[in-house]
């Protein structure tokens, strides 16, 4: 599939049309792909942006919940496992641009198969592949940047 086709497919999944298509291309590009900028820079910002969005959501949705519980909920929602599940749920793994066979490795396929069978993928039974979580963070950040750093819009599309 061409990169234009990939962008169109992911825009359809997100129900969001990018003004700057290159942001989405970058968000889907693994560092092993050397012909274009990778998602690493977007992922850097994504960790902070998603943490802020999740924290804001929890803080405003659960006003009576103590801080310790909010920290725990934020950690669970913003976990690598949860982000990997989001990637699989939206089939983002199909659109990762890479040049290294190990990027979409047996570990990724095992995770996808377990997810599709509704198996429990917690408590160390299966480590979620980092690449899946990275792509979710990067795509969410690409939306955030593309829509003028509007956290509310990014949050609405990301979850």
């Amino acid at each position: 599939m061409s990169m234009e086709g990939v962008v169109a497919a992911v825009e359809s999944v997100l129900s969001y049309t990018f003004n700057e298509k290159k942001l989405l291309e970058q968000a889907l590009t693994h560092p092993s792909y050397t012909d274009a900028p990778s998602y690493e820079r977007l992922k850097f910002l994504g960790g902070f942006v998603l943490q802020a969005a999740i924290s804001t959501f929890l803080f405003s949705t659960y006003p009576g919940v103590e801080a310790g519980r909010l920290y725990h909920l934020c950690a669970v929602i913003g976990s690598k496992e949860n982000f990997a599940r989001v990637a699989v749920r939206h089939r983002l793994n199909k659109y990762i641009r890479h040049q290294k066979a190990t990027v979409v490795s047996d570990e990724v396929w095992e995770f996808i198969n377990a997810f599709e069978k509704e198996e429990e993928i917690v408590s160390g039974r299966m480590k979620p592949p980092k690449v899946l979580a990275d792509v979710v963070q990067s795509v969410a950040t690409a939306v955030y940047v593309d829509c003028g750093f509007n956290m509310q819009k990014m949050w609405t599309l990301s979850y």
Side-chain angles (χ1 to χ4, degrees):
M1 180 181 294
S2 70
M3 198 58 195
E4 293 80 21
V6 166
V7 166
V10 175
E11 285 178 331
S12 178
V13 166
L14 297 173
S15 298
Y16 178 80
T17 302
F18 278 80
N19 297 308
E20 183 56 52
K21 309 283 188 205
K22 292 285 184 194
L23 281 169
L24 183 54
E25 289 179 24
Q26 182 177 352
L28 296 169
T29 303
H30 185 267
S32 68
Y33 190 85
T34 57
D35 297 337
S38 78
Y39 59 59
E40 289 181 316
R41 185 171 164 82
L42 290 169
K43 185 181 143 308
F44 161 75
L45 181 59
F48 298 108
V49 170
L50 287 172
Q51 173 112 18
I54 293 166
S55 299
T56 299
F57 170 78
L58 292 171
F59 184 83
S60 60
T61 304
Y62 303 106
V65 174
E66 65 183 46
R69 181 78 174 132
L70 292 174
Y71 280 116
H72 175 74
L73 289 170
C74 190
V76 170
I77 293 170
S79 70
K80 183 166 79 169
E81 178 187 338
N82 193 41
F83 290 157
R85 287 173 175 263
V86 170
V88 173
R89 186 177 309 118
H90 296 294
R91 308 271 186 241
L92 294 177
N93 56 291
K94 296 184 340 184
Y95 306 113
I96 300 170
R97 183 165 53 167
H98 60 89
Q99 290 177 325
K100 196 168 159 184
T102 57
V103 170
V104 184
S105 64
D106 291 341
E107 180 182 306
V108 171
W109 292 114
E110 285 176 31
F111 186 86
I112 291 168
N113 289 332
F115 178 85
E116 288 174 348
K117 292 176 185 174
E118 296 291 322
E119 290 181 18
E120 190 172 332
I121 310 173
V122 293
S123 303
R125 276 190 50 203
M126 184 174 292
K127 183 179 173 184
K130 182 179 179 308
V131 65
L132 297 177
D134 288 351
V135 166
V136 168
Q137 285 184 317
S138 301
V139 168
T141 306
V143 170
Y144 176 68
V145 172
D146 191 66
C147 68
F149 301 93
N150 183 328
M151 189 177 297
Q152 182 63 39
K153 186 159 193 159
M154 181 270 310
W155 176 255
T156 303
L157 295 171
S158 298
Y159 282 89

